[in-house]
Every structure is written in structure tokens, then in C-alpha cells.
Amino acid sequence: MSRKDALVLDRSAFAAAPREKKWRPRMTGLIAWRNLAHDRVRFAVTIVGIAFATLLMGIQLGMLINFVHTTATLVDHSGADLWIAAHGVKTIDLATPLQERRRFEALSTPGVAVAEPYLLGFGFWKRPDGVRETVIIVGVEPDATMGLPWNLRDGVDARQALLWPDGVIVDRLYAKKLGVDRVGQIFEINDRRVRVVGFTSGIRTFTQSPYVFTSLRKARSISSNLPDAEKAITYVPIQVAPGASLEATRERLAARMPDVDVLTGAEFSSRSSNYWLFSTGAGVTMISSSLLALLVGVVIAAQTLYASTMDRLPEYATLRAIGGGRFYLYAIVVKQALIGGLIGYIVGMAAVLAMVWLGRDSSAAPEAPIWLSLSIGIVMELMCVMASLISINKLTAINPAEVFR
């Protein structure tokens, strides 16, 4: 808004506003919008700056959320209420063998409805070109109620697929990496024959060693470095009987088997995520980059709105000269920040959602849940308002007489 535009504003709008004591927002929204939109180049720069800050925060924080979910995906999708694991296990992927009798001890404990064997092991997948890829073998009984693969493609039933001799199920995300083109192909894991009998969709792994689901019998025969392979297990997922107390059942199991860890699903999921987040360089790097993205985004948004306000000091001086009170100017500045922040956030979040959609089939896709989208919007608006409040200090020093010089 130019000085000429400001001078022709209806004086009655200002006459009704006390100079210092009351907040009267009459026409402040309209003036704030015109302040933003009058100079289109400056307006575009403001919106682009806020949108870029939103995009930066959205993508980096979305990657962090994906990281957390991926590190505990087997636990979160298992359907188990409790887990029996070897003492001191840090994460589900780094499994330690258990004695199979732990399952039978669990079944004889009051409050336990179902206890099943579950096996994780490492293997080397041999591609048609001879290249070997590391995979994580997940062994589960075909008739199990917990730990089965999920999100199967093409109408494949997990239980029926695992009944196939030598059958394995892999995820589409890693099909190219493993050299898999179609169902029915034959490969080798640790020099043992396997046949691809189905595909899942979106089961990611943080280590980039794909999960390969197979029957417990087949997993025992192909997993490497397992003592007493014919009876090997690494976990016992448990479902608590209807009406039984989860915590009371956990305490009974822990008392009966003090040399193992008995964890709730939430505890095991948290332990797995925390290990990768705080005990490895990858997790620390991801957290640091997310915090840096948040800081940079906030600084960009704040600096953009602050500069936008400061560039319009002559216009605000004009408003003071024709009768605008201090709080009237404050209302304009704050609303200008809110409007600019909202538009920039909408543009930036649209870009975030587009990138999430485009990357949905990648092995490290960012996530944008509703709570994250809303949180970023709130942060952006708060930062924009804070930037405007900082610039308000300059408004209080405006000398209305300057506009007539």
C-alpha cells in the first residue's frame, strides 16, 4: 500500500479507534491483506520463503517419523500383546536365540491365551546374476495368529502361501534389489532353494536388508549361525486371554522366567526405535538433521515476515499520521503475519503432500500424518506472529511527522 493509498482511507475507521487503550480491529484484516498483496514481487518472495520453510520441516520430520515406524514395524504389526525375548535384546532385528521351552512355560502361565514361536535370522540371497544380498529371514508358523506378513498383493493369502514347500514372501519395494520379477521364481538363501510365492507392499526395513517371510520350518533350515537349528526360535509373541490383566500377566511371566525379558508390545516397539535413534550414528544424524531443518525453517519464516514488515514502515507512519492508534497498527501487523503464514503454509504443505505421494513406493518414504501437518501449521503461524511482534518495536518508534517531510 502506497502513501497515497493510505491517505485516502476512510478517516472514520480511525476516528472510532481509541489511540492506546482498546484493540479495535476494524478494517485491519483488509489493510493487512492489501499490505501483503500490493507489491506482488515482495508478496511472492514472502510466500515462497514461508512455503520453503514448511517444505523443509515437513520432509525432514516426515523422514524421521518414517524412520521410527520402520525400526519397529514387525512389532507394531504383529498383533502381540507381550513379547518374550532374550535378556538385553536392543531391537527386534538383532535377535538372540531362545530355548523353545520358553513358549511352553508361557502357555502354562495364567492369563496367557496364545504363545507362538517366532524366528528372525540373517541370510544371503543369491540373485540370478550371482550377486548376494543380505536379507532378514522371518519365520512364522503358517497357522499362526501373530507375526504373519501383511499388505499382501494380488489376493494372496499369507497362510496358504507359507504352506508352499520352500515358499517365501518378499516386498515389492525390494523386488528389483533381489532380482525378483514374478511369483514362482526360484532363488537361493544360504545355498538353500526358495521359491517366491507372494509379494507384500510397503513393509520397509531400516537396515535396507529386506524382510523375507517364510514358514518356521523353512526359516530354521536356511538361517545361518543358529544353534540347535531344528528347535531354534528367537521370540515368543503372546496374546493375553480376554479379561486378563496385561500387566499382571507380564509380571507372572517375568517372575517365572527371570532370565529373559518380558515386554509389552509398546515397550518392545519403543526399545527398538530408541536403539536406532539414540545408539547409532544413523539415528543421531536423523535427529540432528530434523532439528536443524526445524530451526532453519523457523528462521526463514521469521526473517521473511520481519523484512516484509520493516519494508512497510513508511506506510505505517502514514496510518499513524492520519489517526491510527498504536494497537490498531499492531492488529494490522499481526494479521498480516497470520495471513502470510497461512498462505505460505498451504503452498508448502501441498508440496510436502505431493512429495510424500510421489515417494510412496520408495524404500525410505517420508510420512505426513494429520497431526504432523497441523503441528507444522501451528509452528509456522506462531513463528510468523513472533516475527511480527519483534518488528512492532520499530512501529512504536515511528514518528508520524516523517510522512510529511
Side-chain angles (χ1 to χ4, degrees), residues 74 93 118-126 133-140 147 149 162 166-171 174-175 178 180 187-189 192 194-198 200 203-205 209-216 218-219 222-223:
L74 290 180
D93 290 340
Y118 194 77
L119 177 66
L120 258 70
F122 285 90
F124 292 97
W125 177 287
K126 187 177 181 180
E133 298 284 354
T134 303
V135 296
I136 300 176
I137 302 163
V138 182
V140 59
L162 294 178
D166 303 330
V168 296
I169 299 172
V170 300
D171 198 271
Y174 304 97
L178 299 177
V180 181
F187 297 87
E188 290 182 359
I189 299 179
R192 300 292 184 92
V194 297
R195 180 190 301 271
V196 176
V197 295
T200 57
I203 302 181
R204 296 175 172 84
T205 170
S209 295
Y211 293 122
V212 176
F213 293 88
T214 188
S215 66
L216 181 63
K218 186 63 179 178
I222 62 179
S223 296

Side-chain angles (χ1 to χ4, degrees), residues 54-73 76-77 173 202-205 286 290 349 351-360 362-374 376:
T54 301
L55 177 64
L56 184 63
M57 287 191 291
I59 293 299
Q60 196 60 49
L61 293 175
M63 292 293 293
L64 180 61
I65 292 173
N66 173 266
F67 180 97
V68 172
H69 288 168
T70 299
T71 55
T73 188
D76 294 338
H77 289 88
L173 294 175
I203 302 181
R204 296 175 172 84
T205 170
M286 182 66 70
S290 297
M349 187 51 61
V352 171
L353 295 177
M355 294 186 69
V356 169
W357 185 82
L358 292 173
R360 67 192 184 282
S362 67
S363 59
E367 299 180 26
I370 294 177
W371 66 264
L372 176 64
S373 302
L374 294 177
I376 292 176

